[in-house]
Amino acid sequence: MVEQIVFYVFAAIAILSGVYVVASQNLVRSVFMFFVTLLSVAGLYIFALADFVALTQIVIYVGGVLVMLLFVFMLSSKDSLDNIINLKKEALSANRIPATIITIALLAIISYAILLVDFEQLDWIKSNKLLIDKAQTSNVHNIGVNIMGRFLLPFELISILLMMTLVGAAHLARKEPTND
């Protein structure tokens, strides 16, 4: 009973803070709520007995990516941040329609592929299943086998998210040319 309450509290914090990150107009508050989201996801990992993943979540995302985003906001000029807010407020323009169509099509293709594939029947997962079953529960070998076997798709999706964060932070940090 207590475990379910703790799980639902962490899940609610993660969902609500994630929604606030997306919906907020204030970029600094969004970054701090992103911090809360990442910590609550790390709490869910600890609750799921994935201590290594939780520690990696805290060290890489909270310690690295979030600090990098905070430095981008601190070092950016007020004009560039105001331009980002103004772009966020604009409605769907003609320039964004092709990108929106491509994004929806890509999401549909990825969703269809995930629903179509039976991951337990793939040859490389069947061959790694013996390694996964034989691996001990508390060593680095087990973590490597599980990441490159059972959890390869989430691992790759997280790496794409990290790359998108780095590109976004670099875009925010670049200096806009002045017309002086």
Side-chain angles (χ1 to χ4, degrees):
M1 182 68 178
V2 173
E3 294 88 7
Q4 288 180 339
I5 293 172
V6 171
F7 173 79
Y8 286 125
V9 166
F10 275 122
I13 291 171
I15 291 170
L16 293 174
S17 60
V19 168
Y20 186 84
V21 167
V22 174
S24 176
Q25 296 292 324
N26 189 332
L27 293 174
V28 177
R29 288 184 184 162
S30 290
V31 169
F32 283 113
M33 288 308 288
F34 189 51
F35 174 74
V36 172
T37 304
L38 292 176
L39 283 179
S40 61
V41 170
L44 288 171
Y45 284 138
I46 290 172
F47 187 76
L49 300 177
D51 300 336
F52 180 79
V53 180
L55 183 65
T56 305
Q57 168 88 10
I58 291 171
V59 169
I60 292 175
Y61 288 108
V62 175
V65 174
L66 197 60
V67 169
M68 178 184 61
L69 284 174
L70 285 173
F71 277 118
V72 165
F73 290 131
M74 287 189 300
L75 297 175
S76 295
S77 67
K78 183 169 178 2
D79 295 334
S80 65
L81 291 177
D82 288 339
N83 288 338
I84 292 170
I85 292 172
N86 291 336
L87 286 175
K88 191 176 178 182
K89 290 181 181 177
E90 288 180 9
L92 185 64
S93 65
N95 295 338
R96 294 184 182 184
I97 291 173
T100 305
I101 293 171
I102 291 171
T103 302
I104 292 171
L106 185 61
L107 179 64
I109 291 169
I110 291 173
S111 300
Y112 178 72
I114 289 173
L115 293 174
L116 185 69
V117 173
D118 183 15
F119 290 103
E120 296 297 323
Q121 299 302 321
L122 294 174
D123 292 335
W124 59 275
I125 289 183
K126 284 182 182 177
S127 64
N128 285 334
K129 202 157 187 84
L130 294 173
L131 287 174
I132 291 169
D133 293 337
K134 290 181 182 178
Q136 297 176 359
T137 59
S138 64
N139 62 14
V140 177
H141 180 264
N142 181 30
I143 292 169
V145 167
N146 279 318
I147 285 178
M148 290 301 149
R150 186 180 305 164
F151 301 113
L152 184 63
L153 181 64
F155 182 72
E156 289 299 322
L157 290 176
I158 287 173
S159 68
I160 291 170
L161 177 69
L162 180 61
M163 180 190 66
M164 289 172 24
T165 304
L166 291 172
V167 169
H171 177 72
L172 289 175
R174 71 185 174 124
K175 298 282 184 184
E176 297 290 330
T178 56
N179 294 332
D180 292 337

